[in-house]
Amino acid sequence: MKYAAPKNILMTTPTGFKIAYAINPHMLDAEGKLKVVDETKALKQWQSLHDLYLSLGLTVSVIEGREKFPDLVFAANPTFPFLDRDGKPSVVLARMHSKFRQEETKIYSAWAASQGLRVYELTSGFFEGSGDAIWNFETREIFGGHGFRTDEAIYPTLDQITATRIHRLELIDPRFYHLDTCLSILDATSAAFVPEAFSREAIATLENAFSNLIRISVDEAVHGFAGNAFCPDGQNVVLQTGNSCFAGDLRQAGFTVHEVETGEFIKSGGSVFCTKQQY
């Protein structure tokens, strides 16, 4: 049985977005210094994403960013949305690995409660929301990354909370510190991935789960964040511009590609998927 993907998107404005610390390899330049964000460009890129989602028929809600939280714009990380056993829209709050981001969950928890979503909290371990736990909405399965930001040990608890099968995937390359940097689920049977980011066992799991696996090159994944693409509806794929090989493979597979510019967010280790939540 196939299920429909949610039509609701949550974004957070890039107010306060900057690189104030380094918690992933992408935040540092070749000299080991923090990269610098062009705030004007970042806002323009964010707005273009926002407007594209509206043009695709999605409903977009917005949280205002805060100067105190430079990574708050990466809305995928602080929560994991799902339908609970009663069919009620719910979220599991993240337990962020970095001390710099741990208070972000309070803002998203308050927003979720204001929307009538049921809020669940973990009591131990690290879990970085939809940065590491990704839905295949059509088959009602979850793919859970672990190795850098999320503890594998949290998945039995998440399994109990969501009552959903979870495929565990070990990440082995620190450049792909979140699952959403190296896996993009496209539809019920199709996904794109960066083989070098995963353990052998994880690759075998993906090969068993998807009959159509599209490989993303390390070059496009690292420099163009191709693995952070987002397919909200099984047809349209939103992708950082310039990833010509991956974009060509997507088109050949029958997907509609929308290329966007997210270069300011890539400086901080995020791109299309990171800057939204689907619920």
Side-chain angles (χ1 to χ4, degrees), residues 118-271:
R118 189 171 291 172
V119 178
Y120 292 79
E121 295 187 51
L122 301 172
T123 58
S124 63
F126 293 118
F127 172 56
E128 298 223 342
S130 296
D132 272 324
I134 301 177
W135 276 105
N136 185 334
F137 288 110
E138 292 186 76
T139 63
R140 294 294 298 170
E141 295 175 295
I142 298 168
F143 291 79
H146 62 88
F148 295 104
R149 297 290 189 83
T150 292
D151 295 330
E152 184 181 11
I154 65 92
Y155 283 118
T157 302
L158 191 65
D159 190 341
Q160 292 178 354
I161 293 173
T162 63
T164 304
R165 182 183 184 186
I166 301 176
H167 302 276
R168 303 184 199 180
L169 303 171
E170 183 184 11
L171 304 175
I172 61 172
D173 187 325
R175 295 174 297 180
F176 306 106
Y177 60 93
H178 273 156
L179 184 61
D180 69 7
T181 64
C182 51
L183 176 68
S184 179
I185 295 177
L186 304 170
D187 62 23
T189 59
S190 303
F193 79 123
V194 184
E196 292 83 356
F198 296 96
S199 68
R200 291 182 180 179
E201 293 78 9
I203 292 174
T205 297
L206 290 171
E207 290 174 341
N208 288 329
F210 297 98
S211 58
N212 179 28
L213 266 181
I214 300 173
R215 289 174 174 254
I216 303 172
S217 72
V218 169
D219 182 64
E220 290 194 339
V222 171
H223 300 293
F225 262 63
N228 204 237
F230 173 44
C231 185
D233 55 9
Q235 177 57 49
N236 294 283
V237 181
V238 186
L239 173 68
Q240 164 65 22
T241 189
N243 292 301
S244 57
C245 292
F246 182 37
D249 290 341
L250 287 169
R251 293 187 177 103
Q252 187 173 3
F255 294 96
T256 302
V257 177
H258 303 267
E259 297 189 63
V260 296
E261 179 54 63
T262 63
E264 294 308 303
F265 300 102
I266 288 175
K267 292 177 181 178
S268 192
S271 183

Side-chain angles (χ1 to χ4, degrees), residues 9-27:
I9 299 294
L10 174 64
M11 299 182 71
T12 300
T13 65
T15 304
F17 172 55
K18 58 183 176 294
I19 302 176
Y21 41 74
I23 57 174
N24 68 63
H26 306 280
M27 293 174 138

